[in-house]
Amino acid sequence: MKDWNYDNEQWTKLPTYLKHLPLFTRHIDLFSVAMRFVWSVFLKNIVFKFYIRLKVKGTPFKEIYRTQPKLIIISNHASHLDAVSIAASIPRRFWLSLYIAAAKDYFFTNALFTFFSKHCLGAIPIDRKDRKGEAINLILKLLTELPRMWLIIFPEGTRSKDGKIQEFKRGVSIFSERTQTPLLFTYLEGNAELWPKGQPIPLPGKLVLHVGPVHPPGPIQQVYAAYKEWVVTINPDAFQAIPSEPSNEQE
Amino acid sequence: MDFFDFTFPIRIAMPTAWESHIYRQTVLIVLSIIFVSGAIVFFFRNKNYYFVQSWASIKSWLIAAPLMFIVMGMPEPWPLVFLTLLAILGAKIFFQIMGMFHRSYFVLICYAGIVGLGVATWYDRLDIYNFMPMIVLGAACLVPLIRNSYKRMIQYMSLTLLGFIFLGWSFMHLGLILKFPNGVYQVMYLIILTEFCDNTNLAVGRYVGGWKLFPGINPRRTVGSTAVAAALTIFLAGSMRFLLPDGSDKYWLASGLVASLGGFLGDLIMTVLRRDAGMKTVGPFILGRGDFLNRVDRMIFAAPIYYYVMTVIL
């Protein structure tokens, strides 16, 4: 008889804060599946229906899901609503392929946040002070090995203070180019007004998620330029105004 | 709104345990022992391996014991619901250790079987209770057909049945014990005795040596430490015999022996499984030493043996 092989590396080789990620089993554990379902009901059927009225414009996610098994979803980032808003706009049956890159120093700071980040958000902890590249390797491994994965990531790296879109950090392009994963442009309109930085809870109101084109992998400057070009068609004031040269002409 | 006002049939045949002065007295005694032990061990917590382990164990019980008393003191069926949830949690950790927690069909069949045991216990259907392992095995055998796959299915079916027998059928005998006269007290009695025995064995292991009983499995269990732990557990069983409906010698002696030796066996068997699977622990249980399965592994032998000793032999 063949020796039994216990596939328990998920529980033996991973630190606690990574055990929810399907790095060995390729499956999300049963408890997380149940928690994600409960969370999706709360988010989609209660919060984003009655408290915040979310509207999705652009290409339907169902259509994108059919053609794009792997995607990096990028968006502007001005509030804690952003990741959950994008998640809420994605059909529930795709949720098990959905991951969110989240700051480890914020979303994994205490037991309650960690539980929520792991089991409800499916968050991948990103250590912003990481010099060893653990987070990068983690995401690269998941993007390479999982048959389906949609990763929500905010290329600005942090929330914007004034709601204006800032310069993108390199990370997004690294993930995209190394794994040849296309990028899906999305733009959230109204997020900064509903939950600006420093406010304890979000205000009720309207939020619009614009779903844009799927962009091929490329260097960050190229991605930023393409994203800017698309967003300006929706909201011309979305970006920081570049101070113009003072005019020398005498009137 | 009355939290306990339900529309489905509930038997409030006995008052909640909190209404009994014996229960309150027991809670006070046990919590005092834990707090006093904690206060003493705290000063030696970094002295050596044994104190480190004892301190970790006490820390986890400082949180777990009050929770246990609160739930066990609630009216029926909450103690049984609580035990069923604990059995499911134990099964979850078993499947994680065995690396098949992502095999959802098998895991759900085991969970459903445990819920079935809870229901059978509630309706006093011992026949269904004892037939449940066959139902679980039958359901597990259908999974390869549903999945249309044969790969490693012997392993998965066997481990599902093993997990169900240990963490379901065996552990849920605590639910059957709940049905005894003063059942809540007897369940608490058994838990306290087995936990006490394990911690005592650990604490005296450094000072009382002798042959190593099973050096290939657990080199820390010696004849001396096991004998001393068993003797102290029997002494504690005698001291707490007021929790038994019949305080005569044969009952508390049998309880002490079952808790010490049955608990010892359960602990060793689970160590065998862990070592074969190459897994020491899944994650801490609340705080402190080992995972949740470390806390309940002694029950997989102690609970059914206690049940049959009390119902058949005595």
Side-chain angles (χ1 to χ4, degrees), chain B residues 5 50 63 80 90 124 126-127 163 182 187 194 206 211 217 222 228 234 236 255 273 275 282 284 292 295-296:
Chain B
D5 183 22
Y50 298 91
I63 295 170
L80 182 60
D124 293 323
L126 196 60
D127 52 341
N182 284 3
V187 168
T194 49
R206 182 180 166 86
W211 296 323
I217 298 167
T222 61
V228 170
I234 291 166
L236 182 68
S255 305
L273 297 183
R275 297 195 84 154
V282 169
F292 175 73
R295 305 265 64 81
V296 299

mmCIF file of all heavy atoms in Angstrom, chain B residues 5 50 63 80 90 124 126-127 163 182 187 194 206 211 217 222 228 234 236 255 273 275 282 284 292 295-296:
data_model
loop_
_atom_site.group_PDB
_atom_site.id
_atom_site.type_symbol
_atom_site.label_atom_id
_atom_site.label_comp_id
_atom_site.label_asym_id
_atom_site.label_seq_id
_atom_site.Cartn_x
_atom_site.Cartn_y
_atom_site.Cartn_z
ATOM 1 N N ASP B 5 -37.224 32.396 25.649
ATOM 2 C CA ASP B 5 -38.612 32.098 25.303
ATOM 3 C C ASP B 5 -38.676 31.637 23.851
ATOM 4 O O ASP B 5 -38.656 32.450 22.930
ATOM 5 C CB ASP B 5 -39.457 33.368 25.513
ATOM 6 C CG ASP B 5 -40.924 33.102 25.236
ATOM 7 O OD1 ASP B 5 -41.323 31.924 25.300
ATOM 8 O OD2 ASP B 5 -41.644 34.062 24.941
ATOM 9 N N TYR B 50 8.565 22.980 32.070
ATOM 10 C CA TYR B 50 7.323 22.490 32.686
ATOM 11 C C TYR B 50 6.479 23.641 33.222
ATOM 12 O O TYR B 50 5.256 23.642 33.107
ATOM 13 C CB TYR B 50 7.663 21.481 33.799
ATOM 14 C CG TYR B 50 8.376 20.286 33.239
ATOM 15 C CD1 TYR B 50 9.766 20.246 33.159
ATOM 16 C CD2 TYR B 50 7.664 19.196 32.744
ATOM 17 C CE1 TYR B 50 10.422 19.159 32.611
ATOM 18 C CE2 TYR B 50 8.308 18.101 32.196
ATOM 19 C CZ TYR B 50 9.687 18.089 32.129
ATOM 20 O OH TYR B 50 10.328 17.020 31.570
ATOM 21 N N ILE B 63 -9.533 31.907 30.818
ATOM 22 C CA ILE B 63 -10.565 32.415 29.904
ATOM 23 C C ILE B 63 -11.615 31.340 29.631
ATOM 24 O O ILE B 63 -12.815 31.604 29.649
ATOM 25 C CB ILE B 63 -9.919 32.888 28.582
ATOM 26 C CG1 ILE B 63 -9.005 34.080 28.878
ATOM 27 C CG2 ILE B 63 -10.982 33.267 27.558
ATOM 28 C CD1 ILE B 63 -8.138 34.503 27.742
ATOM 29 N N LEU B 80 -25.976 21.332 25.578
ATOM 30 C CA LEU B 80 -25.822 20.330 24.514
ATOM 31 C C LEU B 80 -25.412 20.999 23.193
ATOM 32 O O LEU B 80 -24.556 20.489 22.469
ATOM 33 C CB LEU B 80 -27.137 19.562 24.331
ATOM 34 C CG LEU B 80 -27.119 18.433 23.288
ATOM 35 C CD1 LEU B 80 -26.095 17.368 23.650
ATOM 36 C CD2 LEU B 80 -28.498 17.809 23.148
ATOM 37 N N GLY B 90 -13.522 20.734 17.237
ATOM 38 C CA GLY B 90 -12.500 19.681 17.352
ATOM 39 C C GLY B 90 -12.306 18.959 16.032
ATOM 40 O O GLY B 90 -11.174 18.693 15.607
ATOM 41 N N ASP B 124 -33.109 11.532 23.058
ATOM 42 C CA ASP B 124 -32.845 10.266 23.776
ATOM 43 C C ASP B 124 -32.876 9.065 22.850
ATOM 44 O O ASP B 124 -33.360 7.994 23.240
ATOM 45 C CB ASP B 124 -33.859 10.061 24.918
ATOM 46 C CG ASP B 124 -33.686 11.094 26.014
ATOM 47 O OD1 ASP B 124 -32.524 11.446 26.293
ATOM 48 O OD2 ASP B 124 -34.698 11.569 26.545
ATOM 49 N N LEU B 126 -30.705 6.657 21.617
ATOM 50 C CA LEU B 126 -29.388 6.026 21.690
ATOM 51 C C LEU B 126 -29.145 5.100 20.494
ATOM 52 O O LEU B 126 -28.005 4.934 20.049
ATOM 53 C CB LEU B 126 -29.269 5.238 23.003
ATOM 54 C CG LEU B 126 -27.855 4.833 23.413
ATOM 55 C CD1 LEU B 126 -26.962 6.041 23.601
ATOM 56 C CD2 LEU B 126 -27.891 3.993 24.689
ATOM 57 N N ASP B 127 -30.244 4.490 19.983
ATOM 58 C CA ASP B 127 -30.097 3.590 18.824
ATOM 59 C C ASP B 127 -29.580 4.356 17.614
ATOM 60 O O ASP B 127 -28.651 3.921 16.918
ATOM 61 C CB ASP B 127 -31.434 2.896 18.517
ATOM 62 C CG ASP B 127 -32.585 3.880 18.376
ATOM 63 O OD1 ASP B 127 -32.477 5.037 18.856
ATOM 64 O OD2 ASP B 127 -33.605 3.506 17.777
ATOM 65 N N GLY B 163 -12.108 10.713 12.267
ATOM 66 C CA GLY B 163 -12.424 12.021 12.853
ATOM 67 C C GLY B 163 -13.804 12.022 13.478
ATOM 68 O O GLY B 163 -14.003 12.546 14.576
ATOM 69 N N ASN B 182 -28.161 15.084 37.504
ATOM 70 C CA ASN B 182 -27.052 16.034 37.735
ATOM 71 C C ASN B 182 -26.016 15.968 36.609
ATOM 72 O O ASN B 182 -24.814 16.052 36.853
ATOM 73 C CB ASN B 182 -26.350 15.751 39.074
ATOM 74 C CG ASN B 182 -27.159 16.245 40.256
ATOM 75 O OD1 ASN B 182 -28.271 16.744 40.057
ATOM 76 N ND2 ASN B 182 -26.626 16.112 41.440
ATOM 77 N N VAL B 187 -20.537 16.246 33.822
ATOM 78 C CA VAL B 187 -19.699 16.664 32.689
ATOM 79 C C VAL B 187 -18.569 17.561 33.195
ATOM 80 O O VAL B 187 -17.401 17.387 32.849
ATOM 81 C CB VAL B 187 -20.534 17.396 31.613
ATOM 82 C CG1 VAL B 187 -19.650 18.082 30.579
ATOM 83 C CG2 VAL B 187 -21.470 16.411 30.907
ATOM 84 N N THR B 194 -9.989 15.403 34.197
ATOM 85 C CA THR B 194 -9.045 15.068 33.111
ATOM 86 C C THR B 194 -8.018 16.188 32.924
ATOM 87 O O THR B 194 -6.835 15.925 32.723
ATOM 88 C CB THR B 194 -9.778 14.825 31.776
ATOM 89 O OG1 THR B 194 -10.681 15.900 31.540
ATOM 90 C CG2 THR B 194 -10.528 13.523 31.767
ATOM 91 N N ARG B 206 8.884 16.376 35.832
ATOM 92 C CA ARG B 206 10.297 16.743 35.982
ATOM 93 C C ARG B 206 10.893 16.144 37.259
ATOM 94 O O ARG B 206 12.077 15.844 37.327
ATOM 95 C CB ARG B 206 10.401 18.266 36.007
ATOM 96 C CG ARG B 206 11.809 18.780 36.116
ATOM 97 C CD ARG B 206 11.798 20.294 36.122
ATOM 98 N NE ARG B 206 13.093 20.814 36.562
ATOM 99 C CZ ARG B 206 14.122 21.003 35.749
ATOM 100 N NH1 ARG B 206 14.009 20.694 34.475
ATOM 101 N NH2 ARG B 206 15.256 21.495 36.195
ATOM 102 N N TRP B 211 10.444 4.711 34.541
ATOM 103 C CA TRP B 211 10.438 4.305 33.124
ATOM 104 C C TRP B 211 9.631 5.282 32.288
ATOM 105 O O TRP B 211 8.597 5.778 32.741
ATOM 106 C CB TRP B 211 9.765 2.949 32.935
ATOM 107 C CG TRP B 211 10.452 1.810 33.598
ATOM 108 C CD1 TRP B 211 11.791 1.591 33.737
ATOM 109 C CD2 TRP B 211 9.790 0.698 34.220
ATOM 110 N NE1 TRP B 211 12.022 0.426 34.399
ATOM 111 C CE2 TRP B 211 10.810 -0.151 34.716
ATOM 112 C CE3 TRP B 211 8.453 0.336 34.404
ATOM 113 C CZ2 TRP B 211 10.521 -1.336 35.376
ATOM 114 C CZ3 TRP B 211 8.170 -0.847 35.063
ATOM 115 C CH2 TRP B 211 9.195 -1.669 35.532
ATOM 116 N N ILE B 217 6.546 7.696 21.496
ATOM 117 C CA ILE B 217 5.376 8.542 21.220
ATOM 118 C C ILE B 217 5.452 9.841 22.031
ATOM 119 O O ILE B 217 5.373 10.931 21.475
ATOM 120 C CB ILE B 217 4.056 7.789 21.548
ATOM 121 C CG1 ILE B 217 3.938 6.555 20.640
ATOM 122 C CG2 ILE B 217 2.846 8.701 21.365
ATOM 123 C CD1 ILE B 217 2.864 5.588 21.058
ATOM 124 N N THR B 222 6.109 9.362 32.166
ATOM 125 C CA THR B 222 6.812 8.281 32.855
ATOM 126 C C THR B 222 5.828 7.535 33.761
ATOM 127 O O THR B 222 4.729 8.039 34.050
ATOM 128 C CB THR B 222 7.954 8.838 33.729
ATOM 129 O OG1 THR B 222 7.382 9.703 34.714
ATOM 130 C CG2 THR B 222 8.955 9.610 32.884
ATOM 131 N N VAL B 228 1.550 9.244 39.986
ATOM 132 C CA VAL B 228 1.296 10.352 40.919
ATOM 133 C C VAL B 228 0.081 11.168 40.439
ATOM 134 O O VAL B 228 -0.801 11.517 41.238
ATOM 135 C CB VAL B 228 2.553 11.264 41.038
ATOM 136 C CG1 VAL B 228 2.219 12.548 41.796
ATOM 137 C CG2 VAL B 228 3.676 10.522 41.750
ATOM 138 N N ILE B 234 -7.509 10.907 41.603
ATOM 139 C CA ILE B 234 -8.473 10.125 42.389
ATOM 140 C C ILE B 234 -8.784 10.851 43.706
ATOM 141 O O ILE B 234 -9.936 10.901 44.146
ATOM 142 C CB ILE B 234 -7.947 8.690 42.630
ATOM 143 C CG1 ILE B 234 -7.936 7.930 41.290
ATOM 144 C CG2 ILE B 234 -8.801 7.937 43.655
ATOM 145 C CD1 ILE B 234 -7.156 6.639 41.303
ATOM 146 N N LEU B 236 -8.694 14.090 44.138
ATOM 147 C CA LEU B 236 -9.574 15.214 43.772
ATOM 148 C C LEU B 236 -11.000 14.722 43.494
ATOM 149 O O LEU B 236 -11.980 15.368 43.884
ATOM 150 C CB LEU B 236 -9.026 15.944 42.534
ATOM 151 C CG LEU B 236 -9.826 17.170 42.077
ATOM 152 C CD1 LEU B 236 -9.719 18.305 43.097
ATOM 153 C CD2 LEU B 236 -9.351 17.677 40.724
ATOM 154 N N SER B 255 -14.724 7.170 38.710
ATOM 155 C CA SER B 255 -14.578 8.426 37.969
ATOM 156 C C SER B 255 -13.122 8.881 37.919
ATOM 157 O O SER B 255 -12.613 9.282 36.864
ATOM 158 C CB SER B 255 -15.409 9.537 38.620
ATOM 159 O OG SER B 255 -16.733 9.139 38.731
ATOM 160 N N LEU B 273 -1.486 10.450 16.245
ATOM 161 C CA LEU B 273 -2.007 11.032 15.005
ATOM 162 C C LEU B 273 -1.215 12.272 14.609
ATOM 163 O O LEU B 273 -0.843 12.444 13.444
ATOM 164 C CB LEU B 273 -3.492 11.412 15.168
ATOM 165 C CG LEU B 273 -4.474 10.275 15.446
ATOM 166 C CD1 LEU B 273 -5.892 10.810 15.506
ATOM 167 C CD2 LEU B 273 -4.392 9.200 14.376
ATOM 168 N N ARG B 275 1.838 13.111 15.427
ATOM 169 C CA ARG B 275 3.224 12.832 15.048
ATOM 170 C C ARG B 275 3.294 12.170 13.678
ATOM 171 O O ARG B 275 4.201 12.440 12.905
ATOM 172 C CB ARG B 275 3.899 11.982 16.112
ATOM 173 C CG ARG B 275 3.975 12.719 17.435
ATOM 174 C CD ARG B 275 4.917 12.089 18.384
ATOM 175 N NE ARG B 275 6.273 12.542 18.120
ATOM 176 C CZ ARG B 275 7.239 12.575 19.025
ATOM 177 N NH1 ARG B 275 6.985 12.182 20.243
ATOM 178 N NH2 ARG B 275 8.440 12.978 18.726
ATOM 179 N N VAL B 282 -1.985 23.350 15.502
ATOM 180 C CA VAL B 282 -2.582 24.138 14.416
ATOM 181 C C VAL B 282 -2.501 25.631 14.740
ATOM 182 O O VAL B 282 -2.231 26.454 13.890
ATOM 183 C CB VAL B 282 -4.055 23.719 14.192
ATOM 184 C CG1 VAL B 282 -4.769 24.688 13.265
ATOM 185 C CG2 VAL B 282 -4.108 22.330 13.599
ATOM 186 N N PRO B 284 -2.844 28.481 18.553
ATOM 187 C CA PRO B 284 -3.165 28.498 19.978
ATOM 188 C C PRO B 284 -4.674 28.508 20.231
ATOM 189 O O PRO B 284 -5.422 29.110 19.473
ATOM 190 C CB PRO B 284 -2.516 29.791 20.475
ATOM 191 C CG PRO B 284 -2.378 30.633 19.259
ATOM 192 C CD PRO B 284 -2.222 29.708 18.100
ATOM 193 N N PHE B 292 -7.028 23.712 20.195
ATOM 194 C CA PHE B 292 -8.252 23.284 20.890
ATOM 195 C C PHE B 292 -8.291 21.772 21.082
ATOM 196 O O PHE B 292 -8.762 21.269 22.100
ATOM 197 C CB PHE B 292 -9.480 23.749 20.108
ATOM 198 C CG PHE B 292 -10.764 23.252 20.682
ATOM 199 C CD1 PHE B 292 -11.262 23.770 21.858
ATOM 200 C CD2 PHE B 292 -11.463 22.236 20.057
ATOM 201 C CE1 PHE B 292 -12.438 23.294 22.408
ATOM 202 C CE2 PHE B 292 -12.647 21.746 20.603
ATOM 203 C CZ PHE B 292 -13.138 22.285 21.773
ATOM 204 N N ARG B 295 -6.895 20.428 24.121
ATOM 205 C CA ARG B 295 -7.716 20.587 25.323
ATOM 206 C C ARG B 295 -8.769 19.482 25.441
ATOM 207 O O ARG B 295 -9.210 19.181 26.532
ATOM 208 C CB ARG B 295 -8.432 21.956 25.322
ATOM 209 C CG ARG B 295 -7.511 23.150 25.155
ATOM 210 C CD ARG B 295 -7.107 23.751 26.506
ATOM 211 N NE ARG B 295 -6.328 22.867 27.329
ATOM 212 C CZ ARG B 295 -5.023 22.683 27.192
ATOM 213 N NH1 ARG B 295 -4.350 23.302 26.257
ATOM 214 N NH2 ARG B 295 -4.362 21.882 27.997
ATOM 215 N N VAL B 296 -9.188 18.936 24.313
ATOM 216 C CA VAL B 296 -10.295 17.970 24.392
ATOM 217 C C VAL B 296 -9.886 16.545 24.039
ATOM 218 O O VAL B 296 -10.712 15.643 24.111
ATOM 219 C CB VAL B 296 -11.496 18.389 23.494
ATOM 220 C CG1 VAL B 296 -12.064 19.720 23.914
ATOM 221 C CG2 VAL B 296 -11.123 18.378 22.030
#
